Amino acid sequence: TALGSLVYSNLFTTFGTFSGGFVQVPESMIGLIFSLNGFMVVFFQLPVTYYLERFKLTTSLIAGSLVYAAGFAFVGLCTSFWMLFAGMFAITMGELIVSPPLTTLLSQMAPPEARGRYMNVAAFVSSAGTACGPAVGGQLMDRYAGNIVMMWLILGALEVVCAGGYLALRLKLAPRMDDLGQANVKSA
């Protein structure tokens, strides 16, 4: 989760710098790209969440991380406003797929008397990733300024690692979820 937060935080830090400095998109147009994220969260979150109810939570986490990976990797190939717009669409779809099941899975894993502590630790871990993200993204941007696509490929690759972590979690939770009964089998 910290790794996913680290990558995601670059959407609101290095993405704007890349859009203006490397793709030469005017600032006013970058604002339009970011408005797509807000629009999608407001209008698509519930329909996407309802659709994902048919899948196991870890399936959604793995799929969402892979969508994030594709979106971030695609950003490195962008050369126009519309390509960046499509990249934002893909990244936001990853967000819509990952966010709800992550919280749900966490609450199902936690004993009822410890849910608050679990949520606080998860928030701390996520915040740590978010805090480190701009520094990592900035270092990657500086290091790969001559071949900027590498920066975005690395961020995408980190999301693939995150998907692998969710797969490992799924394998670890599967026996536990089977023991909890049919109602919770979808959780793994």
Side-chain angles (χ1 to χ4, degrees):
T1 300
L3 192 57
S5 295
L6 181 147
V7 172
Y8 181 72
S9 69
N10 280 277
L11 182 64
F12 299 104
T13 54
T14 56
F15 182 90
T17 304
F18 171 76
S19 300
F22 289 89
V23 184
Q24 306 297 318
V25 174
E27 288 181 23
S28 59
M29 301 300 278
I30 295 170
L32 286 174
I33 296 169
F34 281 110
S35 68
L36 174 65
N37 178 272
F39 176 85
M40 288 177 67
V41 169
V42 169
F43 291 105
F44 294 171
Q45 185 69 72
L46 283 175
V48 169
T49 301
Y50 287 137
Y51 176 77
L52 293 174
E53 285 180 350
R54 66 188 76 193
F55 302 103
K56 293 179 180 180
L57 296 171
T58 50
T59 299
S60 295
L61 293 172
I62 294 164
S65 293
L66 293 175
V67 172
Y68 267 143
F72 277 98
F74 177 75
V75 168
L77 303 173
C78 292
T79 58
S80 70
F81 168 83
W82 289 110
M83 290 179 78
L84 288 168
F85 200 79
M88 177 64 78
F89 181 86
I91 292 168
T92 304
M93 284 305 299
E95 176 184 1
L96 296 174
I97 296 168
V98 166
S99 295
L102 188 59
T103 305
T104 303
L105 182 61
L106 180 63
S107 69
Q108 289 183 0
M109 288 172 56
E113 68 277 1
R115 276 197 185 117
R117 287 188 297 264
Y118 274 58
M119 294 292 182
N120 281 333
V121 169
F124 175 78
V125 168
S126 180
S127 295
T130 300
C132 294
V136 171
Q139 288 296 319
L140 290 172
M141 186 171 274
D142 286 346
R143 178 168 171 81
Y144 294 106
N147 186 14
I148 197 66
V149 71
M150 284 302 298
M151 172 199 166
W152 298 100
L153 291 175
I154 290 169
L155 291 174
L158 291 175
E159 275 296 334
V160 172
V161 171
C162 198
Y166 289 132
L167 177 60
L169 178 65
R170 177 189 188 131
L171 297 173
K172 183 176 174 88
L173 290 179
R176 177 180 167 197
M177 294 303 167
D178 288 341
D179 292 341
L180 293 174
Q182 187 62 30
N184 288 327
V185 170
K186 289 180 80 174
S187 299

